Amino acid sequence: MNATPDPRLKAEEVTVLPLAAFDERVSVLGSKSYTNRYLAIASLSGRETVIKGALLSDDTLYFARAIETFGHVTCAVDHATASIHVTPTGQPMRAPKEDIFVGGAGTPLRFLISMAGHAQGTTVITGNTRMQERPMGDLLAALPPLGVDATAVRANGSPPIRVVGGSFKGGATSINGTVSSQFTSSLIINALRAENDTEITIADELISKPYVEMTLAALKEMGVSVERDGYRRFTVAAGQQARGGEVTVEPDASGMSYFLAAAAILGSRVVIPGIGSGSHQGDVHLVEALERMGCQTQITDDEITLTGGHLRGIDIDMEAMPDVVPSLAIVAAYAEGTTRITNIASLRVKECDRIAAVTTELRKMGIEVEELPDAMYITGGTPHGATIDTYDDHRIAMTFAIGGLRTEGVVIKDPGCVAKSFPTFWQTLDTLHPTLKSTK
């Protein structure tokens, strides 16, 4: 399915056609978070690595191409087998002559800032207009104690970022954990190639902790040990080398969330294979939230089953699973009572301001939403059709497409933005039934 581009990715908009109910087994693509982590680790390992079941999306392909510009590895992408073959060239890491552009790929950009510290010369890393607004200052402040000179070109803490590399010595540093856990993951992964032991102290509170757990799990899978003191301190001993060989990416829990939401609002049954109770992906816990809302669930080691039921509002802190807040929000729109989603301030600095975007688009559908700086209170009702603006944000497009499975007249603008994380989303939605038509 990956090998054939979906023409709807080029359409101006698609109309989603309602569906009565379904009972399906749905396979989703590999985890974006794990694919990015394995790419970073493989590129620093010095050993040939094959990443199987990889997510081949805009974000991960930007990252693979960016890594190659340092000259020390090649990243051969095989769409037919959904794999990436990372092969050392035997050459040292050197800064590319041209700027590295990663579009809207936030995780790759944050990983590349630290990675450029290993490359001789000066690297400039940038992205699209929204990426040039996103804050990187905490990561930039944490790198100089490790020997890396990283600064914002416009002195505003946001990309473009200039890194003078060949100097990632290691040592001790501290970092603010309240903006993005990806800063911490960037330092931990890139400490793998530091000359000395690296100790990273979290200066305050670390948000989105499951994403750091994923980083540690990926490193462990590749044979790298990280000592830790809870979420306060992480120490990476120098001289370790990732094992290379084959590694397999589990399905993407964020991508899975849309099909769980579909089953929830349609009173239907969905089975997601390949992911289960042992997953470190924080977004898996959406299953528990939907169970609290009235769904029936079953989780085994390698499979998740959810059946929709009578939905009711809940109070929930979603700091640990911010990417699936929109998925829960669309379910809340159809639930009885009010759902209070709290501790989600980090959504303000994602691909768009997702609190504002979800609030605006739900209100278009006639749903009452109270928007707070770090929360949304959604009172369920009977949504009506609307033309949905997607803000060049894949998660907004996919979320409201799910609403269209129950509510007639939902039109999704810029459907191609789903390619950032789930390029086969519309095709996967078709497996429930032919749900879509391009209108322009």
Side-chain angles (χ1 to χ4, degrees), residues 248-270:
T248 300
V249 179
E250 71 180 23
D252 190 89
S254 306
M256 170 183 72
S257 74
Y258 307 108
F259 298 92
L260 298 179
I265 67 173
L266 290 170
S268 297
R269 179 177 178 271
V270 69

Side-chain angles (χ1 to χ4, degrees), residues 270-281:
V270 69
V271 179
I272 311 291
I275 185 170
S277 56
S279 177
H280 289 279
Q281 295 183 67

